Amino acid sequence: MADFLSNYSIQKWLESCPQGYLEDTVYGHGADEREPEELLKNEQFREAQIRTTVQLIAGERCALAASSGLINAAPDAASKTFLATQTLDEGRHVEIFTQRLFDLGIAQDDLESTIKTYINPNLGKFAEVLLEKVDKKDFVAGVVGQNIVLEGMAFSVFEMLHATSSDMNPKFAHTLAGTIADERRHVGFGENRIGELIRRYPEKKPEIERMQRDMTKHMLATFHDSFAASPLAAASPSVAPGARKSAGTYQGLNLAEASNEEMEGALSSVVLNEFKTRLGRIGLEYQSPV
Ligand SMILES: [Fe+2]
Ligand SMILES: [Fe+2]
C-alpha cells in the first residue's frame, strides 16, 4: 500500500506530468507547432481530421465524467487522490483536443454542433454503458470500464494515430504523446487497484463481464464506422493520403499501402489483446461480443 500511495500521489503526478513531460507544452504541443498547411487547405482531409478529433473529444468527455464521478464512489483515500489527478488529466485531454478542432478552423460557437454532427452514435452507446455504472456509484465496475476498457481502447487508438502522424504532423503527434503517457498511468492504476477488489467481491464478476462485452461490441462498431467514414484518410488520419509514402508502419502494415479493412483489423486485434491481457491480470476473463 505504501508503494501504491507514493506511485499514485499528487506529488508524484506533479513531478512526472506538469513538471515533467508536459513542461513547456502549449495545449500539449510545442508553442511554435501548427497543423500542416496542406491539411488545412484540403477540405476533404480537413473534414476527416475534424471527424477523428470529435471522437477523441467524445471519448475524453466520457473519461472526465467517469473519473470525476468515481471519486465519490472510491472506498479509500489513495484511490480518491489518484482519481483527482486523473480528473485533471482527462479535463486537459478534453481541452487539448477541443483546441485542435479550433486549430482545424472550427469556430468556438460551432463546437457543440460540430460534435453533434460528427460523433459516432456507437461511441455514444459505449459511453452510456460505462456512465451507468458510474452513476450507480459502482466503483469496481466503473474502474474496470474506465481504466481497463475505455483507456485500453484510447491508449491503442492514440498509439495508432501517433504512428500515422509522427512524420507528417509533429504537432498532433506531440499532443498525442503526452496523452499516451497519461493514459499509461491510468491503465496502470486500474490494474493495480482493482485486482484486489475483484478477489474480494467475486460475485460482481458476471455483471462486470457483461459490461465489458457490451462496451467491446460498441467499440468494434465504432472502429468499423470510423474506418468506413473516411476511406481516404481513416487509415492515416493525420496525414494527407498523397503524403502516405513516408507514413511509416503500424503493426507491420505499411501505411502507404494498407487498406482501411487492414487498418481496422490491426487496431481491433491490438485492442482486444490488450483487454485479454489486462483483464486476465485482474482475474477476469475477456468476453467476446456475439
Ligand atoms: Fe484521457
Ligand atoms: Fe485516461
Side-chain angles (χ1 to χ4, degrees):
M1 198 65 183
D3 266 6
F4 182 82
L5 282 174
S6 61
N7 279 338
Y8 296 106
S9 66
I10 290 173
Q11 182 59 37
K12 181 73 184 270
W13 174 81
L14 283 170
E15 288 166 15
S16 64
C17 180
Q19 297 160 6
Y21 55 83
L22 291 183
E23 211 177 10
D24 299 327
T25 59
V26 177
Y27 292 109
H29 56 81
D32 55 350
E33 290 176 317
R34 300 282 176 271
E35 292 292 328
E37 262 318 299
E38 54 276 25
L39 191 162
L40 296 175
K41 279 190 308 213
N42 185 309
E43 206 32 54
Q44 203 184 0
F45 302 158
R46 195 178 72 95
E47 189 184 17
Q49 289 307 301
I50 290 169
R51 186 186 300 277
T52 298
T53 306
V54 163
Q55 312 318 318
L56 302 185
I57 294 170
E60 296 296 353
R61 283 182 173 185
C62 175
L64 176 60
S67 52
S68 56
L70 286 170
I71 294 176
N72 285 330
D76 60 287
S79 297
K80 288 178 192 286
T81 300
F82 173 77
L83 287 165
T85 68
Q86 180 172 353
T87 296
L88 197 52
D89 291 334
E90 306 302 359
R92 186 183 83 86
H93 299 167
V94 172
E95 181 175 88
I96 58 180
F97 292 131
T98 301
Q99 182 60 43
R100 183 170 194 238
L101 271 194
F102 301 149
D103 295 347
L104 290 167
I106 300 297
Q108 299 210 0
D109 285 346
D110 297 335
L111 173 64
E112 296 307 324
S113 63
T114 303
I115 291 174
K116 219 166 147 191
T117 303
Y118 289 102
I119 188 173
N120 187 316
N122 288 305
L123 186 55
K125 290 184 201 160
F126 173 91
E128 262 169 44
V129 176
L130 168 59
L131 294 178
E132 198 189 296
K133 302 293 182 196
V134 176
D135 285 344
K136 285 189 191 146
K137 299 215 181 303
D138 185 337
F139 182 71
V140 185
V143 171
V144 174
Q146 168 178 269
N147 297 64
I148 306 283
V149 181
L150 167 64
E151 312 206 278
M153 171 186 80
F155 186 78
S156 306
V157 169
F158 294 153
E159 293 212 310
M160 181 199 71
L161 292 173
H162 188 269
T164 57
S165 63
S166 54
D167 286 346
M168 298 309 297
N169 192 341
K171 172 200 178 244
F172 186 39
H174 285 160
T175 307
L176 289 164
T179 317
I180 290 168
D182 292 340
E183 300 303 353
R184 208 185 289 276
R185 186 167 59 245
H186 304 163
V187 172
F189 166 81
E191 273 185 25
N192 284 317
R193 184 66 191 95
I194 225 66
E196 183 244 327
L197 289 174
I198 301 266
R199 278 191 298 279
R200 213 189 309 167
Y201 305 105
E203 70 279 7
K204 292 196 65 74
K205 276 189 189 184
E207 186 202 330
I208 294 175
E209 289 176 341
R210 206 163 33 240
M211 172 194 71
Q212 174 264 300
R213 192 193 57 205
D214 291 347
M215 290 179 79
T216 305
K217 181 177 79 183
H218 300 315
M219 177 194 78
L220 292 174
T222 305
F223 289 171
H224 186 72
D225 293 347
S226 300
F227 283 101
S230 306
L232 279 173
S236 188
S238 316
V239 296
R244 280 171 60 181
K245 286 180 283 300
S246 61
T249 60
Y250 175 70
Q251 295 296 311
L253 290 172
N254 179 341
L255 291 172
E257 291 162 4
S259 69
N260 290 316
E261 288 78 15
E262 286 174 318
M263 288 298 289
E264 181 189 339
L267 176 63
S268 302
S269 86
V270 166
V271 177
L272 297 184
N273 281 330
E274 269 290 294
F275 286 178
K276 283 170 199 163
T277 311
R278 294 185 189 277
L279 289 165
R281 282 190 205 143
I282 59 169
L284 291 172
E285 202 175 317
Y286 167 75
Q287 305 295 310
S288 177
V290 188

